[in-house]
Amino acid sequence: MKEEELNFEKEQFSLTMIPGKFARSMRTCLIWQFIRFVIINVKMIIVVGKSH
Amino acid sequence: MARLVVLGGGVAGHTTATFAAKWLGSQHEVVVVTPNAKWNWIPSNIWVGVGQMTKEEVTFDLAPVYAKAGITYHQAKAVSINPEGSDSSEKPFVTIEYTQEGKAGETEVVEYDYLVNATGPKLNFDATPGLGDGNGQLGENTVSVCTADHAVHASHKLAEAVEKMKGGTRQKFLVGTGHGMCTCQGAAFEYIFNIENELRKAGVRDMADVKWISNESFLGDFGMGGLHMKVGGYVVSSKLFAESLYAERSIDWLIGAHTSKVENGKVEYELLDGSKGEEEFDFAMLIPPFAGVGLKAYDKAGEDITGTVFAPNGFMKVDADYTAKPYAEWKASDWPRTYQNPTYSNMFAAGIAFAPPHLISKPMKSPNGTPINPTPPRTGMPSGIIGKAVAHSVCDLMTKGENAHLHEASMAEMGAACVASAGKGVFTGTAAAMTVYPVVPDFEKYPGTGRDTDYTFGEIGLAGHWIKHILHFLFIYKAKLNPGWTLIPE
Ligand SMILES: Cc1cc2nc3c(=O)[nH]c(=O)nc-3n(C[C@H](O)[C@H](O)[C@H](O)COP(=O)(O)OP(=O)(O)OC[C@H]3O[C@@H](n4cnc5c(N)ncnc54)[C@H](O)[C@@H]3O)c2cc1C
């Protein structure tokens, strides 16, 4: 059974979004996460710069 | 030689004192009065609370750092402020009471030319019957992660619960806020995901019921009225983002809840619709509401002027617009810019210690009149930035004279980064990394969401987890004043 079937089984959770297999795997995909790491850092540094 | 006295050696006070000492050199004196012997990187208490870090990894001794920086350090708590001096003293002063071993209970008067109040929050456990012990400390029914010692205690209780589950006894975990007027939902949010992750790792997740209880009117409010953020190319409400996280991990939620009483294994609550209920638990971590630390103020004649200097919640009044007005009329410009006290211009407040003009979230009440809404967060990044801006202002006042330009740092023009980890492995940990700009929404500038959606974003993954780790080491490195510390941003 797909994981999202379990998540949506509960009524409280039925109106939200649940990541599918691909979205879940990208969270720990080293190459993708390294790219995201660089992008998030750059964005955070811009926010820090705008805040001072 | 003039003297700057900084009350509180936490995120804001430490930033103010260390920058002021660096900028002023030996020309002037910087004094820190703080009851703690150790500095604590509070965000990492979450990892202590699940047994992934020790207290020693998140704290260090303040005395050698202040000695290195040339800062005079009193391990004491401030009790009162005399901003006009007294009969016997022309100069303003603070009265302090030592907490240091061997000197505990002794009082002393410390005169100042400039004063920065960065005393942070009083953890007001006693606001909820059964959450506190009746003497202002954490009670025996729940745990906390607000201090490193609390977090160590929480980790032991968590380990006991895990052992029980391994022995076949089901356990119920309840995490969230312990009162209708709490802030700091982010910390509880991070803790519940770390607990859930630990339970999975220990192979006992199927023996646990994990539930969130909070005063937010919707999941993902975070005391900031929620936020619209870029996620995967969409701009979505933090409600959807947060609900998705909870649903994915099978964590139930109870929101719009004022925790009215805590007993052994049970909380009583009132909801925004006025209904009342009970929730049982085996393990509960409920954040207490925050208040000011209870400093008193006296004028020259010794009359109590606490109400002039401080707001009723105990936080210090600064240059905010405190005029009571309805939610629809709240503006970004209500928020303070310089953190100078309006009555005494040589007094400032930084970090959690300043009184916000009003909430950020929409004010809500149950039909019984019980206010149930998050109070505004003042997280680490704003506290550090405000601490530095105040240091700048005070240094300029001391070196350039009374008319020096004051530095500004409004929370309506400032961002905050929140990285909520869920687990700690280098290749397996994930975190929800969120950045919000500005913290206080500005609907005049951004009429739809109140915030800049290019810089208000969130995502889940290893990258956020690595950032959380790096921040841990970077901020402790910086706070220890190691080489290059001034280059690390707040
Ligand atoms: C568990 C937890 C996790 C968190 N995680 C994050 C996070 O991930 N990111 C983030 O940005 N923020 C986070 N925060 C919030 C962050 O810790 C606070 O915003 C920050 O510590 C506020 O700084 P402050 O200097 O105002 O107060 P504090 O850091 O609390 O410092 C106040 C200081 O004043 C001292 N003091 C108290 N009374 C007196 C007195 N009478 N006289 C003199 N000194 C006194 C205290 O001992 C303390 O040293 C978290 C908070 C908690 C509780």
Side-chain angles (χ1 to χ4, degrees):
Chain A
M1 201 197 309
K2 288 182 183 157
E3 257 188 79
E4 52 265 38
E5 295 302 331
L6 286 175
N7 294 127
F8 281 127
E9 217 175 31
K10 262 194 180 170
E11 206 190 327
Q12 190 177 27
F13 302 156
S14 66
L15 293 179
T16 188
M17 56 178 189
I18 294 289
K21 205 174 169 187
F22 177 72
R24 284 179 209 249
S25 66
M26 291 309 272
R27 290 177 181 175
T28 45
C29 164
L30 284 182
I31 299 169
W32 176 241
Q33 287 302 317
F34 183 73
I35 297 167
R36 294 309 303 163
F37 176 76
V38 173
I39 294 171
I40 298 172
N41 268 298
V42 168
K43 281 194 165 192
M44 281 187 174
I45 288 166
I46 294 172
V47 169
V48 170
K50 281 159 79 84
S51 305
H52 275 76
Chain B
M1 181 187 258
R3 180 188 283 166
L4 162 65
V5 174
V6 179
L7 307 181
V11 173
H14 193 70
T15 306
T16 305
T18 49
F19 274 103
K22 179 180 162 54
W23 291 331
L24 292 169
S26 52
Q27 295 293 306
H28 300 282
E29 190 188 4
V30 178
V31 177
V32 172
V33 175
T34 193
N36 44 308
K38 287 178 186 284
W39 194 82
N40 175 206
W41 176 236
I42 298 173
S44 295
N45 287 356
I46 300 291
W47 285 334
V48 178
V50 291
Q52 289 295 318
M53 270 195 183
T54 61
K55 180 182 165 184
E56 288 65 37
E57 285 174 283
V58 301
T59 57
F60 62 82
D61 286 331
L62 277 174
V65 175
Y66 286 155
K68 177 164 76 176
I71 293 170
T72 309
Y73 165 48
H74 295 291
Q75 196 195 325
K77 63 176 182 187
V79 182
S80 61
I81 308 173
N82 282 58
E84 300 170 8
S86 69
D87 285 351
S88 50
S89 168
E90 276 309 306
K91 281 194 102 171
F93 62 87
V94 282
T95 304
I96 67 171
E97 183 185 313
Y98 281 94
T99 53
Q100 183 186 331
E101 240 182 73
K103 257 181 135 177
E106 281 177 34
T107 59
E108 195 176 306
V109 157
V110 180
E111 292 183 343
Y112 64 83
D113 296 284
Y114 290 92
L115 182 76
V116 176
N117 172 18
T119 45
K122 166 180 158 189
L123 303 173
N124 198 8
F125 290 106
D126 281 338
T128 305
L131 188 63
D133 66 352
N135 294 312
Q137 302 300 316
L138 171 69
E140 56 184 20
N141 299 318
T142 63
V143 300
S144 153
V145 283
C146 290
T147 70
D149 286 325
H150 286 169
V152 171
H153 169 244
S155 76
H156 293 153
K157 290 284 176 194
L158 178 63
E160 282 171 24
V162 168
E163 279 315 305
K164 282 185 191 155
M165 286 184 281
K166 284 186 176 161
T169 313
R170 225 182 150 73
Q171 296 283 287
K172 164 91 174 269
F173 295 81
L174 189 66
V175 176
T177 55
H179 190 274
M181 300 275 284
C182 284
T183 182
C184 217
Q185 287 77 13
F189 171 86
E190 192 174 354
Y191 193 53
I192 200 168
F193 288 114
N194 270 271
I195 286 188
E196 202 272 342
N197 187 60
E198 287 304 312
L199 299 180
R200 264 177 215 279
K201 267 175 36 196
V204 292
R205 180 63 182 91
D206 56 337
M207 293 294 288
D209 299 303
V210 187
K211 189 160 186 165
W212 173 255
I213 182 169
S214 116
N215 56 349
E216 300 158 291
S217 66
F218 60 90
L219 215 54
D221 177 289
F222 297 126
M224 295 189 290
L227 47 140
H228 285 83
M229 51 179 167
K230 269 213 180 123
V231 186
Y234 285 79
V235 177
V236 298
S237 160
S238 50
K239 176 176 187 287
L240 197 56
F241 183 77
E243 285 183 355
S244 173
L245 273 167
Y246 283 67
E248 191 190 336
R249 288 160 178 79
S250 266
I251 299 175
D252 292 336
W253 62 80
L254 184 66
I255 45 173
H258 160 61
T259 304
S260 51
K261 191 173 176 190
V262 186
E263 289 173 17
N264 184 11
K266 189 175 85 179
V267 297
E268 290 178 15
Y269 61 81
E270 177 182 342
L271 297 182
L272 272 169
D273 65 8
S275 62
K276 296 188 176 173
E278 290 179 357
E279 195 70 42
E280 295 195 340
F281 64 81
D282 298 293
F283 174 103
M285 196 295 289
L286 301 175
I287 297 272
F290 290 175
V293 298
L295 295 177
K296 293 271 181 203
Y298 302 101
D299 69 7
K300 197 163 177 66
E303 292 294 321
D304 192 327
I305 52 163
T306 308
T308 308
V309 175
F310 295 94
N313 55 14
F315 296 121
M316 187 179 262
K317 288 183 194 165
V318 291
D319 61 322
D321 180 354
Y322 294 110
T323 323
K325 46 188 162 187
Y327 176 70
E329 290 172 26
W330 290 357
K331 286 204 173 83
S333 54
D334 299 340
W335 286 74
R337 305 186 70 80
T338 65
Y339 304 89
Q340 188 177 39
N341 180 263
T343 317
Y344 299 101
S345 62
N346 60 346
M347 230 159 57
F348 293 77
I352 293 177
F354 84 82
H358 43 65
L359 309 181
I360 303 177
S361 305
K362 199 170 181 174
M364 304 248 177
K365 265 189 185 149
S366 77
N368 312 318
T370 311
I372 307 177
N373 39 228
T375 47
R378 277 143 291 161
T379 55
M381 187 168 146
S383 297
I385 292 174
I386 295 167
K388 190 172 176 182
V390 166
H392 235 134
S393 296
V394 173
C395 290
D396 282 355
L397 289 167
M398 286 166 97
T399 54
K400 296 180 185 160
E402 279 175 17
N403 296 323
H405 170 74
L406 298 182
H407 292 256
E408 299 184 349
S410 165
M411 279 176 60
E413 290 162 14
M414 185 191 297
C418 172
V419 188
S421 80
K424 206 176 143 281
V426 178
F427 299 116
T428 54
T430 52
M434 286 176 271
T435 298
V436 54
Y437 182 86
V439 178
V440 174
D442 185 343
F443 288 102
E444 285 170 85
K445 214 164 169 186
Y446 312 103
T449 67
R451 299 197 173 91
D452 185 339
T453 47
D454 282 339
Y455 298 106
T456 303
F457 62 95
E459 65 180 76
I460 301 155
L462 257 180
H465 171 69
W466 293 335
I467 292 171
K468 178 95 190 169
H469 248 277
I470 291 170
L471 291 181
H472 168 88
F473 291 108
L474 222 53
F475 284 123
I476 291 182
Y477 181 90
K478 177 182 168 136
K480 284 183 173 171
L481 311 186
N482 283 322
W485 67 274
T486 53
L487 301 173
I488 300 168
E490 284 65 50

